[in-house]
């Protein structure tokens, strides 16, 4: 059982595959993919987000992703491929592990928003 945030992130990274921006772009192009930005609203307001991404802060994710709750967001469907990202990759790793724990099978960690924007700018 993890006893520190570092260990929690290591366990999450072991459970959720990390993908590149190119892999994410291909998954998005293939369709049936939910892209989730788990940063807080002020971060998204300051830098924007991936086109089509849903912004659900890390602290609210389980409440939006669990179909048994009244707060469930219909965009969250266990049959979809889910790509998560945050500012640097830690929160998205933890969010990915949470999604797996909630029964989502095709879950991937893009890492940080800068990984996407850096690839798009090239």
């Amino acid at each position: 059982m993890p006893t520190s945030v570092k260990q929690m992130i290591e366990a999450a990274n072991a459970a959720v595959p990390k993908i590149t921006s190119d892999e994410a772009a291909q998954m998005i192009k293939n369709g049936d993919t939910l892209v989730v930005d788990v940063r807080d609203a002020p971060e998204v307001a300051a830098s924007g987000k991936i086109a089509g991404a849903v912004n659900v802060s890390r602290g609210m994710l389980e409440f939006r992703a669990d179909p048994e709750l009244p707060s469930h967001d219909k965009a969250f469907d266990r049959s979809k491929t889910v790509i998560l990202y945050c500012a640097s990759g830690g929160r998205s790793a933890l969010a990915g592990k949470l999604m797996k724990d909630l029964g989502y099978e095709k879950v991937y960690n893009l890492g940080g928003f800068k990984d996407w924007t850096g690839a798009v700018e090239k």
Side-chain angles (χ1 to χ4, degrees), residues 14-71:
V16 180
K18 179 96 168 36
I19 59 171
T20 66
S21 57
D22 289 340
E23 290 169 317
Q26 187 60 48
M27 289 177 184
I28 293 166
K29 182 180 174 186
N30 289 342
D32 208 26
T33 301
L34 173 64
V35 181
V36 184
D37 184 329
V38 297
R39 296 176 297 160
D40 293 332
E43 293 174 277
V44 176
S47 63
K49 63 183 176 78
I50 294 174
V54 174
N55 175 232
V56 177
S57 67
R58 169 68 188 90
M60 291 302 295
L61 186 60
E62 48 267 80
F63 300 101
R64 299 289 186 259
D66 187 341
E68 295 182 20
L69 296 178
S71 56

Side-chain angles (χ1 to χ4, degrees), residues 6 8-18 89-90 92-94 97 109:
K6 180 181 177 190
M8 290 171 65
I9 291 173
E10 288 171 356
N13 282 328
V16 180
K18 179 96 168 36
S92 55
L94 295 171
K97 173 77 168 66
N109 180 7

Side-chain angles (χ1 to χ4, degrees), residues 82-105:
V82 179
I83 300 171
L84 300 127
Y85 70 92
C86 61
S88 63
R91 287 177 288 178
S92 55
L94 295 171
K97 173 77 168 66
L98 171 78
M99 296 292 288
K100 289 233 175 197
D101 291 346
L102 286 173
Y104 290 79
E105 294 180 15

